[in-house]
């Protein structure tokens, strides 16, 4: 019977990446594994077929040969050649099952050859930090109290009580792994007693109780650059949890949130503020002082200024956190309507209203012209 195309067997395209091939094989292997289908010859055949396809397509040299010459190119060249599984599941094929079935049978995929655990990077940590508006604008330095697991200082990371040492694990005999029969496979898994270290601690340290690590709080200094804003994420490399078996530590990520300011409102690198002016200042013009991030600045209000007009103070905004210049300050003026008028003030305003024509109310004139057009 002619063999099916390996790509067809796994249900992947011919240009599929290794991750796609592995995912496809994992699904088929779990479905047709003989231990899940005892006595089912059809399932066993599908399992063998999928495994053969996986072994070839995950080997770059075999895959290139197969892509060029098909099944014939693999005859006698280290492929399966229709002979079933290689004896003893050694070499690369053993690695296949260590990776694919590691999570099924106790984490074998995390072991190096020889049974010792592979170095594992430590977990990343998150720290939510709230800072003031001014701290975000000008930058600051913050002291952080962060808890993480660290090497036990009392036993110097050995896990052993002072004056004692670890012995060979009696369960795995120092191999770090134990083997057992699973159907017609011999499966290796991490030793549950020593956790893969191959050592047994008879007299554990009284501080860490043999775990070699303890959780402690430490103080870190974090420099917050000028120009950050809510949502900014900062990474402190190597300040996360410690790695295991010689692996590197994780990182600490700061997520910043910025308090609101009672006067300024920030939009990107620009800041906005609202400044009230009187009716007389708006009509006659004036020079006013407005607060800025670094002090006060003069703003010239021309006569006839309308409410909500925006004046720009160049370079009075926030420094860009990536160094791309400095934003501006936008001053929005609000013309105040006078209240609690005296009798004399009312008389003067009434006289002003009588003397005023459309020429002194440009906005009203424009509005009336538009309204008239609606009813023509």
């Amino acid at each position: 019977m002619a063999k099916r195309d390996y790509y067809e067997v796994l249900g992947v395209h011919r240009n599929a990446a290794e991750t796609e091939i592995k995912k496809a094989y994992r699904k088929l292997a779990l479905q047709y594994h003989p231990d899940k289908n005892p006595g089912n010859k059809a399932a066993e055949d599908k399992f063998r077929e999928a495994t053969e396809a996986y072994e070839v397509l995950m080997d770059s040299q075999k895959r290139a040969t197969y892509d060029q010459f098909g099944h014939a190119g693999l005859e006698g060249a280290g492929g399966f050649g229709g002979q079933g599984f290689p004896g003893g599941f050694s070499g690369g094929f053993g690695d296949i099952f260590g990776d694919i079935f590691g999570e099924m049978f106790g984490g074998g995929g995390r072991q190096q050859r020889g049974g010792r655990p592979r170095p594992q990077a430590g977990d990343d940590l998150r720290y939510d930090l709230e800072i003031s508006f001014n701290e975000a604008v000008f930058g600051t330095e913050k002291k952080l109290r962060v808890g993480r697991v660290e090497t036990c200082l009392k036993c110097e990371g050995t896990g052993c009580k002072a004056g004692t040492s670890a012995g060979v694990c009696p369960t795995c005999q120092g191999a770090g792994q134990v083997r057992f029969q699973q159907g017609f496979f011999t499966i290796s898994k991490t030793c549950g007693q020593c956790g893969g270290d191959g050592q047994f601690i008879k007299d554990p340290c009284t501080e860490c109780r043999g775990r070699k690590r303890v959780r402690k709080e430490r103080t870190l200094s974090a420099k917050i650059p000028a120009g950050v804003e809510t949502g900014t994420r900062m990474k402190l490399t190597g300040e996360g949890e410690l790695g295991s078996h010689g692996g590197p530590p994780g990182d600490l990520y700061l997520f910043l949130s910025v308090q609101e300011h009672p006067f300024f409102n920030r939009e990107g690198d620009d800041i906005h503020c609202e400044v009230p002016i009187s009716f007389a200042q708006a009509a006659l013009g004036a020079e006013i002082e407005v607060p800025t991030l670094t002090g006060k600045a003069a703003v010239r209000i021309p006569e006839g200024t309308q409410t909500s007009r925006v004046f720009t103070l160049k370079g009075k905004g926030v420094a860009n956190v990536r160094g791309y210049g400095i934003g501006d300050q936008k001053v929005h003026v609000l013309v105040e309507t006078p209240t609690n008028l005296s009798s004399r003030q009312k008389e003067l305003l009434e006289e002003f209203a009588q003397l005023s024509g459309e020429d002194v109310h440009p906005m009203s004139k424009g509005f009336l012209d538009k309204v008239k057009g609606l009813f023509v």
Side-chain angles (χ1 to χ4, degrees), residues 12-339:
V12 297
H13 296 291
R14 301 193 74 82
N15 61 348
E18 287 188 0
T19 53
E20 296 177 71
I21 294 172
K22 184 179 292 186
K23 183 178 180 181
Y25 174 63
R26 185 192 300 271
K27 181 179 179 181
L28 293 173
L30 293 176
Q31 181 179 356
Y32 296 114
H33 193 282
D35 290 340
K36 288 190 174 183
N37 303 274
N40 188 334
K41 183 65 167 58
E44 183 177 330
D45 289 342
K46 286 183 178 294
F47 180 74
R48 288 175 177 271
E49 183 183 45
T51 301
E52 179 179 332
Y54 176 81
E55 193 272 346
V56 171
L57 298 184
M58 286 296 287
D59 185 307
S60 58
Q61 186 174 353
K62 291 179 181 179
R63 183 176 181 180
T65 301
Y66 176 73
D67 288 344
Q68 186 172 3
F69 301 107
H71 293 293
L74 298 174
E75 295 292 339
F80 280 84
Q83 302 303 313
F85 299 114
F89 308 106
S90 60
F93 192 72
D95 290 341
I96 292 174
F97 282 90
D99 183 38
I100 292 296
F101 295 106
E103 63 188 49
M104 292 173 57
F105 304 119
R110 296 190 296 272
Q111 302 292 321
Q112 296 180 6
R113 293 186 183 181
R116 296 299 180 185
R118 291 176 178 170
Q120 298 288 318
D123 292 333
D124 294 332
L125 297 177
R126 171 175 177 147
Y127 191 102
D128 295 310
L129 178 64
E130 185 179 62
I131 59 177
S132 70
F133 187 90
N134 283 354
E135 287 174 332
V137 169
F138 299 109
T140 186
E141 186 168 343
K142 288 288 190 179
K143 299 295 184 182
L144 313 176
R145 292 286 294 170
V146 181
R148 75 168 181 182
V149 174
E150 297 188 347
T151 300
C152 178
L153 297 179
K154 186 168 185 177
C155 66
E156 297 182 343
T158 65
C160 301
K161 190 175 180 179
T164 67
S165 60
V168 176
C169 174
T171 301
C172 66
Q173 300 301 314
Q177 286 188 320
V178 292
R179 293 177 177 272
F180 63 96
Q181 196 71 23
Q182 184 77 23
F184 57 86
F185 295 112
T186 299
I187 303 297
S188 296
K189 64 174 289 186
T190 302
C191 177
Q193 184 163 359
C194 67
D197 288 335
Q199 296 180 327
F200 175 71
I201 300 174
K202 184 177 180 180
D203 297 307
C205 168
T206 56
E207 180 74 17
C208 66
R209 299 180 181 179
R211 289 189 289 265
K212 304 179 182 180
R213 299 182 178 192
V214 291
R215 177 163 289 278
K216 289 187 176 181
E217 276 200 347
R218 68 198 195 285
T219 301
L220 299 178
S221 180
K223 290 186 177 181
I224 311 299
V228 297
E229 54 189 322
T230 294
T232 297
R233 187 183 73 169
M234 295 177 56
K235 182 173 77 170
L236 302 184
T237 303
E239 296 296 348
E241 296 284 16
L242 296 183
S244 58
H245 307 294
D251 301 320
L252 173 64
Y253 288 89
L254 298 183
F255 287 78
L256 303 180
S257 61
V258 180
Q259 298 171 352
E260 293 185 359
H261 194 277
F263 182 69
F264 296 116
N265 178 42
R266 179 175 173 181
E267 293 183 8
D269 294 333
D270 294 335
I271 61 168
H272 296 253
C273 64
E274 293 182 341
V275 177
I277 60 175
S278 68
F279 171 76
Q281 288 174 320
L284 303 176
E287 185 174 288
I288 62 173
E289 279 191 340
V290 298
T292 71
L293 293 172
T294 55
K296 294 182 179 180
V299 175
R300 178 65 189 172
I301 306 298
E303 62 180 54
T305 293
Q306 305 298 319
T307 194
S308 297
R309 181 170 175 178
V310 180
F311 297 88
T312 299
L313 297 177
K314 300 294 291 184
K316 293 294 185 180
V318 181
N320 184 275
V321 70
R322 295 180 179 83
Y324 300 143
I326 301 176
D328 303 323
Q329 179 171 334
K330 306 290 185 178
V331 180
H332 303 252
V333 296
L334 302 177
V335 180
E336 286 190 297
T337 301
T339 58

Side-chain angles (χ1 to χ4, degrees), residues 345-358:
Q345 288 172 326
K346 290 180 180 180
E347 289 177 4
L348 291 174
L349 281 177
E350 288 172 356
E351 183 178 352
F352 172 78
Q354 292 175 359
L355 294 174
S356 298
E358 290 185 348

